[in-house]
Amino acid sequence: QAPIKATCEDMSCKTGFPEDVHSAVVSRSVHGGQPLLNVRFRSCDGNKKIHFGSSEPEDFRVGEDGVVYAERSFQLSAEPTEFVVSAQDKETQQEWQMRVKLTPEPAFTGALEKDQRKIEEIIFPWQQYKHSSPLKRQKRDWVIPPINLPENSKGPFPQELVRIRSDRDKSLSLRYSVTGPGADQPPTGIFIINPISGQLSVTKPLDREQIASFHLRAHAVDVNGNQVENPIDIVINVIDMNDNRPEFLHQVWNGTVPEGSKPGTYVMTVTAIDADDPNTQNGMLRYRILSQAPSSPSPNMFTINNETGDIITVAAGLDREKVQQYTLIIQATDMEGNPTYGLSNTATAVIAVTDVNDNPPEFTAMTFYGEVPENRVDVIVANLTVTDKDQPHTPAWNAMYRMTGGDPTGRFTILTDPNSNDGLVTVVKPIDFETNRMFVLTVAAENQVPLAKGIQHPPQSTATVSITVIDVNESPYFVPNPKLVRQEEGLMAGSMLTTFTAQDPDRYMQQTSLRYSKLSDPANWLKIDPVNGQITTTAVLDRESIYVQNNMYNATFLASDNGIPPMSGTGTLQIYLLDINDNAPQVHPKEATTCETLQPNAINITAVDPDIDPNAGPFAFELPDTPASIKRNWTIVRISGDHAQLSLRIRFLEAGIYDVPIVITDSGNPHASSTSLLKVKVCQCDLNGDCTDVDRIVGAGLGTGAIIAILLCIIILLILVLMFVVWMKRRDKERQAKQLLIDPEDDVRDNILKYDEEGGGEEDQDYDLSQLQQPDTVEPDAIKPVGIRRLDERPIHAEPQYPVRSAAPHPGDIGDFINEGLKAADNDPTAPPYDSLLVFDYEGSGSTAGSLSSLNSSSSGGEQDYDYLNDWGPRFKKLADMYGGGDD
């Protein structure tokens, strides 16, 4: 290949492109990012900032250095491709344009491999500078067409490609080198250059699938390393060879198609890829179907688009009930499907025929039979079976049942068994044999989804269901239930209240009359006649009973027949009791507390009457006339219809517990009244009106149960103490009896040795205590008056004579001996202890002060008025009674 040459005549400096039209020859296959040519722009002012542009920016891009790059990969047509390159000054916005014409090089014929003897020569452009003038003259840089090199070359290697030289090598000794990926950059060593001759060679086979092109730069320097030529760009394109088979993305492809699809229905797409150049025949694939299994109903049910791999139907007759799945063998071949030169590969396409509702459900019988006992619900009485050829457990197979006639009251429903697809006729409302003995139902079955279009079958199937009702013994029932009776309370025992009877719904069974019994009667007030159902009272009806709620008393009765099996029914009798004035009102609370003074002492009381209006409030409150002290000490005032206040009438009442009778009368006709005792505790109070004495705890009111419990505890404690005392006395008697029965010769008490004896107590020691009593006036005992002797001193008396125990007493004399000793000890005043009371801080007898009897009142008692003591409070009450009573 000869290099393209472009010359520019010498001229004075002029800013702009050196030519209006620039022509270049490039390879037919252009890759994205591939440099195509250099455009030169002359700028007389080196400081200008020039921006380059292209009229076809989607195809070509011009760099800041004037190199034109391809923006995408494409094939050049046989006709020259033209576009405009523009240059614009960024400061002055001045613009220059040049038209570029690209011509594709002739197709590669393989002559390069056959004739390697003729090596092309690439000469560096030369430039000459005139140092005496600011103008410079240079040759325009050559544009080197890309070098096309087929991949997988068999050599020999290194294989010479091109020779690079400079025309200055005649006058200078030059060294050549190449740089770029494949030379001195990874992958290194693929391309080498002879530094002396400039011969560029490839060292091993190339693989386009790894690197499609190489961009190298050739350099020429002198022996000192000084650059003598501008670097030139060398592009080496690797020409693709058909060395890769097509590969399917999946070895097995799965697709679906509905049964009954029309020809031309899209099924699926299979895809294969080829690592070879897709812009050449090496990477252009074609698809075809090799085989179809099964071949029913036609061996060519499907076809495939040979370029896109889309599989579509080409024949009618897809029926899932006959063929559920097809298996296709798909082949992909490169070289546009050329069977001779192309490489092939295969994959499997599995096409499942999906179900559509092309078969309606069909009943297996025209009539179905069933039976059901009367009054039973949630019972399956018949199974309806259908057949459906569609795929099980799909909406096209699932059956839905509905009744079209024979059940106007809605006593039946039909459910679908999800496993068997059967229809389950179920009773949802009780059926009475005496009313309906047989039902004839008309039912229809259809699928959950409608039938597909074009199906000739009817969309549903119909059948008849005959159901027989079986008569069973039914329970009697009371009429009405419940039965309400209004009756005044106080109805005496033995009175006829009402008649409560039941009916037997079994009209076609031979049964005796019903029998009645009582099932529930909380207060045991009623009884029922077992034959005629007449109800009479056994006790007085009381509206105030705890068994009556909201004036209503409920009793339950049972009616039984003698059928097989026996049945019974219950009925409720409701007695609404009307109130009569049979209860007198009572006071509430029963106990109260007030202060012993007039203020504050009001007690709020409430009247309670079990009766209701008009036999209850408003109530009248009053105090009885007797005893007279009640009205003298107390007064009562009604503050509302149910409440009153009890208060003291006198200014002071002594603390204590008082029973105050209160007469309460209701508003009934006739009136009912009662006298209720209110236990009032009168106590001393503080300023807040609260009791302050100890009795407040008792006054707060211990219940009867608490008092009984306390008394029981006291009695049990006394019994325990008594038992302990009796046990101690019995043990002492037994011990004394044993000692008296011991023989004197066997008495071993003399053998007991005593150690560290320190003497007896104070009573056994003769101390003179007079120094402690009156140390300054000591008197002998003989001259002390008897009246002032201390109680804890030993009295001066003759000691009595105690009986002397004989050496060998007779057992019968033991009792007498003990009694005589006890009497002597009791009569001995000198026997210690003299007195258990000890006196401390004794001050002696007599007093230095005179007698208080000399203090006399300034006036006689008879002339003094002591009535004011009544106003001094309870502490002076005794004095007021003694001195304030007048002559009394």
Side-chain angles (χ1 to χ4, degrees):
Q1 295 179 354
I4 300 173
K5 300 181 180 180
T7 61
C8 182
E9 299 296 334
D10 294 343
M11 60 182 67
S12 60
C13 181
K14 182 180 179 181
T15 301
F17 291 104
E19 53 190 352
D20 295 332
V21 179
H22 179 74
S23 299
V25 179
V26 296
S27 61
R28 185 179 300 273
S29 296
V30 179
H31 303 279
Q34 174 184 339
L36 302 177
L37 56 103
N38 291 344
V39 294
R40 296 302 179 185
F41 182 84
R42 181 182 295 115
S43 176
C44 296
D45 185 1
N47 295 328
K48 284 182 178 296
K49 296 182 179 179
I50 304 301
H51 173 71
F52 294 98
S54 170
S55 62
E56 302 292 339
E58 66 276 3
D59 295 331
F60 304 100
R61 175 178 58 87
V62 185
E64 295 295 332
D65 55 356
V67 179
V68 180
Y69 298 91
E71 278 291 284
R72 62 184 181 89
S73 300
F74 58 91
Q75 293 282 344
L76 287 177
S77 62
E79 299 297 328
T81 301
E82 295 185 3
F83 63 95
V84 177
V85 175
S86 62
Q88 185 180 25
D89 189 342
K90 294 183 179 180
E91 295 181 356
T92 63
Q93 302 298 320
Q94 186 177 359
E95 184 174 313
W96 300 267
Q97 292 184 348
M98 180 182 66
R99 189 157 50 91
V100 178
K101 182 185 294 184
L102 300 180
T103 302
E105 64 180 1
F108 178 73
T109 59
L112 183 63
E113 291 186 0
K114 296 180 180 180
D115 188 5
Q116 294 292 339
R117 292 172 296 177
K118 185 179 179 180
I119 304 303
E120 293 185 285
E121 188 177 85
I122 299 175
I123 301 175
F124 280 94
W126 60 271
Q127 56 186 358
Q128 180 178 358
Y129 297 93
K130 292 183 179 181
H131 299 285
S132 61
S133 173
L135 299 177
K136 65 180 179 179
R137 182 181 180 207
Q138 68 176 22
K139 274 192 176 182
R140 184 182 176 280
D141 286 353
W142 293 2
V143 178
I144 309 301
I147 301 173
N148 295 321
L149 183 64
E151 65 173 334
N152 302 325
S153 177
K154 296 182 180 180
F157 296 102
Q159 177 181 340
E160 296 179 351
L161 300 179
V162 71
R163 182 182 179 190
I164 301 172
R165 76 178 185 85
S166 173
D167 55 1
R168 302 183 63 181
D169 59 355
K170 298 177 182 179
S171 60
L172 296 174
S173 178
L174 302 181
R175 297 294 184 267
Y176 301 98
S177 63
V178 291
T179 59
D184 61 341
Q185 299 177 16
T188 60
I190 298 179
F191 300 96
I192 60 175
I193 190 171
N194 189 314
I196 303 300
S197 63
Q199 183 67 47
L200 180 65
S201 304
V202 61
T203 61
K204 61 181 180 179
L206 302 180
D207 188 357
R208 192 204 66 84
E209 286 71 40
Q210 294 183 358
I211 301 177
S213 64
F214 295 88
H215 299 269
L216 304 179
R217 177 163 285 194
H219 305 269
V221 297
D222 58 15
V223 294
N224 294 324
N226 298 320
Q227 179 178 326
V228 297
E229 298 284 1
N230 289 332
I232 60 174
D233 294 327
I234 301 174
V235 177
I236 301 174
N237 291 329
V238 183
I239 304 303
D240 184 43
M241 305 295 289
N242 191 17
D243 57 345
N244 292 279
R245 289 182 178 275
E247 296 290 341
F248 283 92
L249 297 180
H250 304 286
Q251 194 58 36
V252 178
W253 296 78
N254 294 298
T256 59
V257 60
E259 63 175 330
S261 297
K262 297 179 180 180
T265 302
Y266 171 80
V267 180
M268 61 189 300
T269 299
V270 296
T271 304
I273 58 174
D274 195 318
D276 292 328
D277 189 355
N279 298 315
T280 65
Q281 291 183 345
N282 300 332
M284 295 181 181
L285 306 182
R286 297 295 182 265
Y287 302 93
R288 71 188 184 101
I289 298 175
L290 296 181
S291 65
Q292 168 192 311
S295 58
S296 174
S298 172
N300 298 314
M301 296 295 296
F302 304 93
T303 186
I304 188 170
N305 188 310
N306 63 347
E307 293 185 2
T308 62
D310 293 342
I311 300 176
I312 60 176
T313 60
V314 293
L318 290 174
D319 190 353
R320 190 204 64 85
E321 286 73 35
K322 295 180 180 179
V323 179
Q324 299 182 0
Q325 179 177 292
Y326 289 91
T327 302
L328 307 179
I329 303 300
I330 310 298
Q331 183 187 59
T333 306
D334 58 15
M335 296 298 291
E336 294 184 311
N338 191 318
T340 303
Y341 303 103
L343 302 177
S344 302
N345 213 337
T346 59
T348 302
V350 179
I351 302 175
V353 181
T354 58
D355 187 37
V356 297
N357 191 16
D358 55 349
N359 294 281
E362 297 181 0
F363 283 103
T364 59
M366 295 301 297
T367 304
F368 296 88
Y369 299 93
E371 59 182 19
V372 59
E374 64 174 331
N375 300 323
R376 296 283 300 275
V377 294
D378 297 330
V379 177
I380 299 175
V381 298
N383 278 24
L384 311 181
T385 56
V386 294
T387 58
D388 196 319
K389 297 179 181 180
D390 292 322
Q391 184 176 357
H393 306 291
T394 62
W397 177 82
N398 295 335
M400 297 188 305
Y401 300 89
R402 59 187 178 89
M403 280 177 289
T404 59
D407 185 22
T409 58
R411 298 184 181 273
F412 300 92
T413 187
I414 305 178
L415 306 176
T416 303
D417 188 329
N419 296 322
S420 63
N421 213 26
D422 292 346
L424 309 178
V425 181
T426 307
V427 181
V428 294
K429 293 182 180 179
I431 303 174
D432 188 8
F433 174 82
E434 287 71 25
T435 304
N436 300 98
R437 299 188 181 185
M438 177 175 288
F439 290 88
V440 178
L441 309 178
T442 303
V443 297
E446 57 188 357
N447 293 124
Q448 290 181 348
V449 295
L451 286 177
K453 295 181 179 180
I455 304 301
Q456 302 301 324
H457 300 285
Q460 65 182 16
S461 178
T462 59
T464 301
V465 183
S466 178
I467 300 175
T468 302
V469 182
I470 302 174
D471 189 18
V472 297
N473 185 24
E474 299 178 76
S475 300
Y477 59 93
F478 285 86
V479 179
N481 190 16
K483 182 176 183 179
L484 178 64
V485 176
R486 301 176 65 89
Q487 176 64 47
E488 279 191 356
E489 65 173 329
L491 183 65
M492 302 306 295
S495 303
M496 199 279 287
L497 183 62
T498 185
T499 300
F500 197 21
T501 58
Q503 298 179 6
D504 194 339
D506 297 314
R507 299 193 299 270
Y508 301 99
M509 289 188 176
Q510 299 296 329
Q511 298 180 9
T512 59
S513 58
L514 301 178
R515 305 288 294 180
Y516 300 95
S517 60
K518 184 172 64 173
L519 187 62
S520 172
D521 183 12
N524 199 22
W525 287 345
L526 309 172
K527 70 176 181 178
I528 187 170
D529 188 281
V531 177
N532 56 22
Q534 190 178 70
I535 298 176
T536 56
T537 61
T538 59
V540 178
L541 303 185
D542 185 7
R543 191 198 65 84
E544 291 74 33
S545 171
I546 60 174
Y547 302 104
V548 178
Q549 301 294 330
N550 298 324
N551 303 329
M552 192 75 70
Y553 180 76
N554 294 325
T556 306
F557 298 92
L558 187 70
S560 305
D561 61 18
N562 61 342
I564 301 176
M567 301 298 292
S568 60
T570 60
T572 301
L573 178 64
Q574 295 180 336
I575 306 175
Y576 187 86
L577 294 175
L578 304 175
D579 185 41
I580 62 175
N581 195 12
D582 57 344
N583 292 279
Q586 300 291 327
V587 68
H588 180 79
K590 296 293 185 179
E591 298 177 355
T593 302
T594 188
C595 298
E596 58 187 4
T597 58
L598 187 62
Q599 295 294 337
N601 66 346
I603 301 173
N604 292 326
I605 60 174
T606 303
V608 178
D609 193 334
D611 295 325
I612 60 176
D613 290 336
N615 298 319
F619 300 97
F621 300 87
E622 59 181 347
L623 298 176
D625 296 332
T626 58
S629 60
I630 298 299
K631 285 191 174 182
R632 183 174 67 247
N633 296 336
W634 305 92
T635 180
I636 190 168
V637 177
R638 191 179 77 171
I639 59 178
S640 66
D642 299 336
H643 305 281
Q645 274 191 349
L646 178 69
S647 58
L648 287 174
R649 180 185 295 271
I650 60 178
R651 299 175 61 184
F652 177 82
L653 182 63
E654 185 178 0
I657 297 177
Y658 299 87
D659 290 333
V660 180
I662 300 175
V663 180
I664 304 176
T665 305
D666 60 20
S667 299
N669 187 17
H671 299 297
S673 64
S674 66
T675 301
S676 300
L677 286 179
L678 177 63
K679 188 178 293 294
V680 181
K681 177 183 181 300
V682 180
C683 62
Q684 299 176 11
C685 298
D686 55 13
L687 297 177
N688 297 324
D690 299 327
C691 287
T692 58
D693 52 357
V694 181
D695 293 338
R696 179 177 56 183
I697 300 177
V698 179
L702 288 176
T704 305
I707 296 175
I708 294 176
I710 294 174
L711 293 177
L712 288 177
C713 292
I714 295 174
I715 293 173
I716 293 173
L717 183 61
L718 293 176
I719 292 174
L720 292 177
V721 172
L722 181 60
M723 291 176 62
F724 180 75
V725 172
V726 172
W727 177 76
M728 290 295 294
K729 288 186 176 181
R730 180 176 299 176
R731 191 180 65 171
D732 292 342
K733 288 182 179 180
E734 292 177 354
R735 183 182 301 168
Q736 293 177 2
K738 289 181 180 179
Q739 293 177 353
L740 294 175
L741 294 175
I742 294 176
D743 190 86
E745 296 179 357
D746 298 330
D747 190 358
V748 296
R749 288 178 295 175
D750 295 338
N751 297 333
I752 297 176
L753 303 180
K754 298 180 180 180
Y755 298 95
D756 299 333
E757 183 175 353
E758 297 179 358
E762 293 180 358
E763 293 82 3
D764 298 334
Q765 301 179 17
D766 190 12
Y767 291 129
D768 186 5
L769 300 179
S770 61
Q771 297 294 333
L772 298 177
Q773 298 169 359
Q774 294 177 345
D776 50 352
T777 57
V778 178
E779 297 180 4
D781 294 340
I783 62 175
K784 282 186 179 181
V786 178
I788 62 172
R789 179 173 296 277
R790 287 173 51 91
L791 297 178
D792 55 351
E793 293 183 10
R794 179 173 181 146
I796 302 176
H797 293 287
E799 295 183 0
Q801 295 297 324
Y802 287 85
V804 179
R805 179 185 177 187
S806 60
H810 190 273
D813 299 333
I814 292 177
D816 297 335
F817 173 76
I818 292 175
N819 292 331
E820 292 176 359
L822 179 60
K823 292 180 181 180
D826 292 337
N827 297 326
D828 185 5
T830 63
Y834 314 120
D835 195 343
S836 61
L837 178 65
L838 301 180
V839 180
F840 299 93
D841 298 336
Y842 183 76
E843 296 180 358
S845 60
S847 174
T848 58
S851 174
L852 294 177
S853 61
S854 60
L855 298 177
N856 296 323
S857 175
S858 59
S859 62
S860 63
E863 299 175 359
Q864 185 69 27
D865 184 10
Y866 295 101
D867 291 339
Y868 61 89
L869 293 177
N870 292 321
D871 299 332
W872 286 14
R875 300 179 184 276
F876 295 89
K877 181 177 181 302
K878 193 66 176 177
L879 291 176
D881 294 340
M882 295 173 59
Y883 294 94
D887 295 339
D888 296 336

